[in-house]
Amino acid sequence: MGRSAIALVACACARAATLEVRLEGGHLVVAHKDAVYEVAPSHDVYSCSWADLSSIKGGATIDQIERAIEPASVLSFYHHISLYMCNSDVRPDRAHAAGEPFDCLVRPTFSGCERQLFTWGAGMERFEMPPGTGFILPRLAILQVHVKHPSLDGEPIEVAASLSGLRLRLSAPDVKPFQYFQLGPHFGMLSVPPRAPRYKVGAVCAESCIRQALRQAKVEFFEVIAIRQHMHLLGSAA
């Protein structure tokens, strides 16, 4: 289906990609199609696309999410894939309105699209919501794909993929809608000694931080449905 890596690349960017939004049975696929990610050792690729989901039946919710990455041989190059929700009054940037990928280091910076609907991370399998619940399907979203170099040195590479995105299972609109948000330490607050064979890390979500998160999300309470350990690029599982 595609090459996994080729050397002699000058930049960290994505090219030759289009955004694909298609219904596949009871699933909605939102993904970059036929992308070539040019990755350098010190410069990961963060590639975004506007995703117009307004043609999907109104009121639909999402009760299952999994990665949509093909071929399987390139899976190890992916760090995360996120889908950011946009407010109803947001309009796509004209330069990229047709779904053309654009660079978006770390996260999209468009006002009104800061909230994550969901993020798939390396090592994560299929995610399912509790029975009778689902995420609200936004009318407009931003897909973000983060592709990383396998080492801190070496030659730049190309990662060619026929599909890079998420597969969302749509459910009936009569389920209890949920909004996804994360609680955890900010970048820079976690420090692990180098070459430590074992190191215990503790984190506390202060009451003031939780109140602020609820205000920003415009909700009155939350329910913990999953706990995920993620070390970004700081380590790997033993």
Side-chain angles (χ1 to χ4, degrees):
M1 295 292 292
R3 300 161 296 173
S4 60
I6 291 182
L8 302 179
V9 176
C11 68
C13 53
R15 58 180 174 84
T18 57
L19 180 73
E20 182 171 69
V21 177
R22 74 170 189 267
L23 286 171
E24 191 178 84
H27 293 77
L28 175 66
V29 176
V30 182
H32 287 164
K33 183 179 180 181
D34 297 328
V36 179
Y37 302 103
E38 302 177 346
V39 191
S42 57
H43 297 283
D44 293 359
V45 168
Y46 292 82
S47 181
C48 286
S49 289
W50 291 96
D52 183 356
L53 308 180
S54 59
S55 62
I56 309 303
K57 185 178 180 180
T61 55
I62 304 163
D63 64 5
Q64 182 188 96
I65 302 177
E66 60 185 333
R67 68 176 184 265
I69 298 175
E70 298 175 3
S73 60
V74 301
L75 181 59
S76 62
F77 296 101
Y78 287 78
H79 177 266
H80 76 255
I81 299 176
S82 299
L83 199 62
Y84 286 83
M85 302 172 60
C86 295
N87 297 335
S88 58
D89 59 344
V90 172
R91 296 294 179 267
D93 176 78
R94 288 186 178 181
H96 310 100
E100 177 186 350
F102 56 94
D103 293 341
C104 54
L105 183 60
V106 182
R107 65 181 299 172
T109 57
F110 294 97
S111 178
C113 300
E114 298 89 354
R115 292 183 299 161
Q116 291 184 17
L117 185 148
F118 188 77
T119 292
W120 168 86
M124 187 177 183
E125 299 300 328
R126 178 182 297 166
F127 177 84
E128 296 196 33
M129 290 288 290
T133 66
F135 294 133
I136 301 171
L137 181 69
R139 307 284 286 178
L140 181 67
I142 294 179
L143 176 74
Q144 182 191 60
V145 178
H146 176 190
V147 181
K148 61 184 177 65
H149 196 278
S151 65
L152 297 178
D153 53 19
E155 296 290 338
I157 61 172
E158 284 185 350
V159 178
S162 56
L163 207 61
S164 303
L166 297 172
R167 183 175 286 106
L168 320 172
R169 188 174 71 182
L170 302 181
S171 56
D174 57 350
V175 303
K176 185 178 180 181
F178 267 72
Q179 178 178 304
Y180 168 86
F181 68 100
Q182 295 176 315
L183 290 173
H186 292 285
F187 293 121
M189 297 178 63
L190 175 62
S191 178
V192 178
R195 293 177 293 279
R198 296 181 64 87
Y199 187 75
K200 185 177 180 179
V201 176
V204 176
C205 291
E207 183 179 349
S208 60
C209 293
I210 293 177
R211 286 200 301 267
Q212 180 180 358
L214 293 177
R215 285 196 301 269
Q216 291 177 346
K218 298 180 180 180
V219 296
E220 297 180 354
F221 69 96
F222 69 91
E223 178 180 346
V224 177
I225 60 172
I227 298 175
R228 183 172 62 181
Q229 306 298 327
H230 181 64
M231 296 187 68
H232 200 59
L233 301 177
L234 297 177
S236 60

